[in-house]
Amino acid sequence: MPPGPLDTHRPRSFRSEPRSMASAEHPGSPGRTGPVTQCTAGTKPEASAAGPDLPHPGPDEDSDADSSPSLNSSMTTRELQEHWRNEKRCWKPVKLLFEIASARIEERKVSKFVMYQVVVIQTGSFDSNKAILDRRYSDFERLQKNLLKSFGEEIEDVPFPKKHLMGNFTQEMISERKLAFKEYLSQLYAIRCVRRSREFIDFLTRAELKEAFGCLRAGQYTKALDILVRAVPLQEKLTGHCPAMVVPALCATLVCHRELERPLEAFAAGERALERLGAREGHRYFAPLLDAMIRLAYALGKDFVSLQERLEESQLRKPTSRGFTLKELTVREYL
């Protein structure tokens, strides 16, 4: 019988998850920590990563050609050309297109508003994971106000449709705003520091992720998964510069599958999360995720020893006190 990651007891099942030795520190809900990166009007480079949820050095979806390492001067022209062709294939930029597919008028007891359906698709290939979001004028307005606080100079030339005292529900006005919001999102996305900001990413993902984590807390695992399946692909497309930002959602996916007794799907979600964490042993999800993956691997007859060694080596390098289990950590997100 293999030892557990932190003791010598045999894991009872993949649904039994011991408390890990992860740090109990929890910086709070993602989306409440300000912009992921800041930039000025083209004069300062973007800040490199420092915290567990911030970008770190390395290739990303916006890498510039002159940022690549210098090549061996002895390479022939043909070899150089082949090298850059391979580089382009490996690091093909992710580009997104925004459409306002439709709009509908909704009436509530005390309010009446227009709901715009935003469709986000990836260019360059068939995108089977296009995102469909519902946002109202007040959501766009909140995004604009938040961006002005951090990127006033960068977005000063990006037009935003103004409010009107009358005529907001006419077909003419709705059609005009559909085009305006499409152009607005496209122009924001074209600004590198804006598309990487917490404000922009939250506008496109936070509402759906908040709902999914709420369902997880309520034990509605199937409903939570239905939302995560739609939200996570878009979050991944938006966070290529900082892959760790998607780790909480992937861990929530693992927890939901595990609670629904789908260990294979849970393990697959955990592998994706570990891949995005990389060597970031200080991340608050690192030890709890490894604990959960060791239990799943053992229950599935997979290689758990390498995962256990990875956790033990991490604890030797940086000992931590007993902290949250993976489920305890995920249910604290978006509170």
Side-chain angles (χ1 to χ4, degrees):
M1 293 186 296
L6 306 178
D7 52 45
T8 57
H9 296 293
R10 176 180 178 177
R12 289 183 296 228
S13 72
F14 60 81
R15 298 191 64 180
S16 174
E17 176 181 312
R19 290 180 176 272
S20 73
M21 295 175 68
S23 170
E25 179 183 358
H26 179 59
S29 164
R32 295 297 184 191
T33 57
V36 175
T37 58
Q38 298 288 345
C39 71
T40 57
T43 58
K44 294 182 181 180
E46 294 182 68
S48 61
D53 288 322
L54 297 180
H56 53 83
D60 56 55
E61 89 282 8
D62 293 303
S63 294
D64 299 320
D66 58 3
S67 65
S68 301
S70 58
L71 301 176
N72 191 324
S73 59
S74 64
M75 293 177 70
T76 65
T77 301
R78 180 175 296 179
E79 289 172 336
L80 284 168
Q81 290 173 342
E82 182 62 27
H83 168 82
W84 289 119
R85 278 196 292 269
N86 291 333
E87 283 292 305
K88 288 181 179 180
R89 280 195 289 266
C90 292
W91 299 106
K92 186 177 181 179
V94 174
K95 301 296 182 183
L96 301 180
L97 288 178
F98 300 87
E99 295 286 344
I100 308 298
S102 62
R104 64 183 185 274
I105 298 174
E106 294 198 3
E107 293 192 52
R108 306 287 168 85
K109 290 183 178 180
V110 295
S111 64
K112 180 181 179 180
F113 56 88
V114 179
M115 187 70 79
Y116 298 91
Q117 186 182 78
V118 183
V119 178
V120 188
I121 59 176
Q122 182 176 332
T123 64
S125 60
F126 175 73
D127 188 3
S128 60
N129 287 316
K130 66 179 180 181
I132 301 176
L133 323 165
D134 285 335
R135 299 292 185 268
R136 51 191 291 187
Y137 182 93
S138 59
D139 296 321
F140 284 96
E141 188 177 39
R142 189 178 305 110
L143 170 64
Q144 176 71 357
K145 289 180 179 178
N146 290 336
L147 289 176
L148 283 172
K149 294 176 182 177
S150 302
F151 308 103
E153 292 184 8
E154 288 79 8
I155 69 169
E156 62 182 358
D157 295 326
V158 178
F160 183 83
K162 296 180 180 179
K163 271 187 176 180
H164 296 276
L165 293 176
M166 300 179 63
N168 291 306
F169 300 103
T170 65
Q171 286 302 314
E172 182 181 1
M173 178 59 69
I174 292 173
S175 297
E176 181 181 316
R177 283 187 173 170
K178 283 173 60 179
L179 293 174
F181 282 138
K182 172 188 174 180
E183 185 65 18
Y184 173 70
L185 291 175
S186 298
Q187 289 192 38
L188 290 180
Y189 183 76
I191 305 171
R192 180 174 179 173
C193 58
V194 172
R195 70 171 172 264
R196 291 182 166 199
S197 69
R198 179 74 72 175
E199 293 89 344
F200 187 75
I201 295 171
D202 275 355
F203 171 78
L204 294 169
T205 61
R206 182 177 176 81
E208 287 70 25
L209 290 174
K210 186 175 181 180
E211 182 182 2
F213 278 88
C215 292
L216 189 157
R217 281 189 291 273
Q220 300 172 358
Y221 303 114
T222 300
K223 185 177 180 180
L225 274 176
D226 289 341
I227 301 170
L228 289 167
V229 165
R230 298 192 303 270
V232 169
L234 176 58
Q235 190 184 28
E236 289 179 316
K237 293 169 185 174
L238 291 164
T239 58
H241 60 289
C242 183
M245 288 180 68
V246 79
V247 167
L250 289 173
C251 288
T253 303
L254 182 159
V255 170
C256 289
H257 279 305
R258 189 185 57 190
E259 294 298 321
L260 293 169
E261 300 186 3
R262 301 171 184 169
L264 277 173
E265 291 87 346
F267 191 82
E271 284 186 315
R272 290 169 63 192
L274 283 175
E275 180 183 351
R276 283 149 183 80
L277 275 180
R280 304 179 72 179
E281 297 179 356
H283 196 284
R284 67 186 187 279
Y285 273 90
F286 187 82
L289 176 57
L290 276 176
D291 273 351
M293 289 294 286
I294 291 166
R295 301 299 184 181
L296 284 168
Y298 177 68
L300 291 167
K302 294 180 178 289
D303 173 23
F304 65 91
V305 176
S306 60
L307 294 169
Q308 184 167 319
E309 290 175 347
R310 184 177 176 185
L311 178 59
E312 290 172 349
E313 290 170 1
S314 171
Q315 294 297 329
L316 286 174
R317 283 190 291 268
K318 189 176 180 180
T320 56
S321 59
R322 292 173 66 89
F324 296 118
T325 64
L326 190 65
K327 184 176 181 180
E328 290 170 340
L329 198 56
T330 54
V331 298
R332 286 166 169 77
E333 297 285 354
Y334 292 95
L335 285 174

